[in-house]
């Protein structure tokens, strides 16, 4: 799983994500903190994509436990929902077509490798989202959908949702992945103690999107994800939240701007 937070600002969308991948097998679990969960799409301007959930499958046969994270960092997965999403963004004409392509390719993989998702039968596999910025109207949007695995083993799409933000919209966060954990364990739980002045500084300015500055929003997102990561020591999550925090700004520039890419906790190099 993962935690991804999207904040609309006066300059566009701030997207932040943790970088922890939890791997498990018969009697073992490993956490790797070198995974990118937000991506630009080559050839598609002012657009970023991200996924949260059971979105990758790795071939870890014959990989020694001590080399798992190195293997993940230097090899392509057998299955990547982020790659499927990127391919669909480049070729689809609308979100209905895009989501259908992602579900179709997921179904194809599941049918060819039925043992890879046995534990997820009847559950949500992952959430997929496309974030865009429109220069002419100064509006941002996030279109998202879930890909679920029914009890027969077929991949099916959940509801297709689109959120649109203009400069006069009321401020609100969009949360993906471990959203309920952030709300219950951090905002309304012991994790609130880990929130710092970066959180408070941005909270004090939140009213409309016109008042939301991207630099403060980036600090705010990092603070939230770091607080959630620290909270897992008190209230464990099933798959973990952690690792360096990535922050991307999708704005008027053709290529999204990386404000913090593998930023270490507390602002380290």
């Amino acid at each position: 799983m993962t935690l991804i937070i999207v904040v609309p600002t006066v300059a566009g969308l701030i997207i932040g994500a943790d970088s922890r991948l939890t791997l498990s097998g018969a009697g073992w679990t490993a956490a790797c903190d070198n995974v990118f969960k937000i991506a630009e799409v080559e050839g598609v301007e002012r657009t970023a994509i991200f996924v949260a959930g059971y979105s990758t499958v790795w071939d870890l046969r014959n990989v020694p436990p001590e080399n798992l994270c190195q293997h993940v960092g230097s090899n392509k997965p057998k299955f990547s929902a982020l790659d499927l999403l990127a391919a669909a963004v480049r070729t689809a004409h609308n979100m209905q077509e895009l989501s259908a392509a992602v579900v179709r390719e997921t179904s194809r993989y599941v049918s060819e490798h039925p043992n890879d998702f046995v534990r997820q039968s009847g559950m949500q596999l992952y959430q997929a989202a496309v974030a865009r910025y429109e220069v002419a109207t100064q509006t941002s949007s996030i279109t998202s959908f879930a890909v679920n695995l029914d009890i027969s083993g077929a991949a099916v799409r959940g509801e297709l949702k689109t959120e649109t933000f203009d400069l006069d919209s009321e401020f609100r966060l969009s949360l993906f992945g471990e959203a309920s954990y952030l709300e219950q364990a951090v905002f309304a739980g012991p994790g609130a103690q880990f929130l710092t002045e970066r959180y408070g500084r941005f909270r004090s300015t939140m009213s409309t999107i016109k008042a939301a500055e991207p630099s403060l929003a980036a600090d705010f997102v990092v603070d939230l994800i770091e607080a959630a990561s620290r909270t897992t020591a008190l209230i464990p999550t099933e798959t973990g939240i952690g690792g360096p925090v990535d922050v991307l700004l999708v704005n008027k520039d053709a290529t999204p701007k990386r404000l913090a890419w593998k930023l270490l906790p507390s602002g380290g190099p």
Side-chain angles (χ1 to χ4, degrees), residues 241-266:
I241 300 168
V245 179
D246 295 331
V247 182
L248 194 71
L249 171 62
V250 183
N251 65 355
K252 61 182 179 58
D253 297 333
T255 301
K257 185 177 181 181
R258 299 178 178 187
L259 301 183
W261 215 239
K262 289 293 170 276
L263 178 68
L264 292 176
S266 302

Side-chain angles (χ1 to χ4, degrees), residues 21-79:
L21 171 69
T22 301
L23 303 170
S24 62
W28 61 269
T29 301
C32 300
D33 291 339
N34 57 350
V35 176
F36 291 97
K37 301 177 180 180
I38 317 166
E40 304 99 323
V41 181
E42 185 177 356
V44 182
E45 297 182 347
R46 292 176 287 278
T47 299
I49 59 173
F50 53 89
V51 295
Y54 296 97
S55 58
T56 55
V57 177
W58 300 85
D59 185 356
L60 301 176
R61 291 173 299 176
N62 303 317
V63 180
E66 65 272 16
N67 293 340
L68 285 172
C69 294
Q70 180 182 355
H71 179 85
V72 165
S74 57
N75 291 275
K76 290 183 68 65
K78 290 170 57 181
F79 172 82

Side-chain angles (χ1 to χ4, degrees), residues 204-227:
S204 67
T205 67
M206 285 166 25
S207 55
T208 63
I209 292 170
K210 190 183 298 182
E213 291 294 332
S215 60
L216 292 180
D219 286 345
F220 172 77
V221 164
V222 171
D223 205 53
L224 286 176
I225 295 174
E226 287 183 1

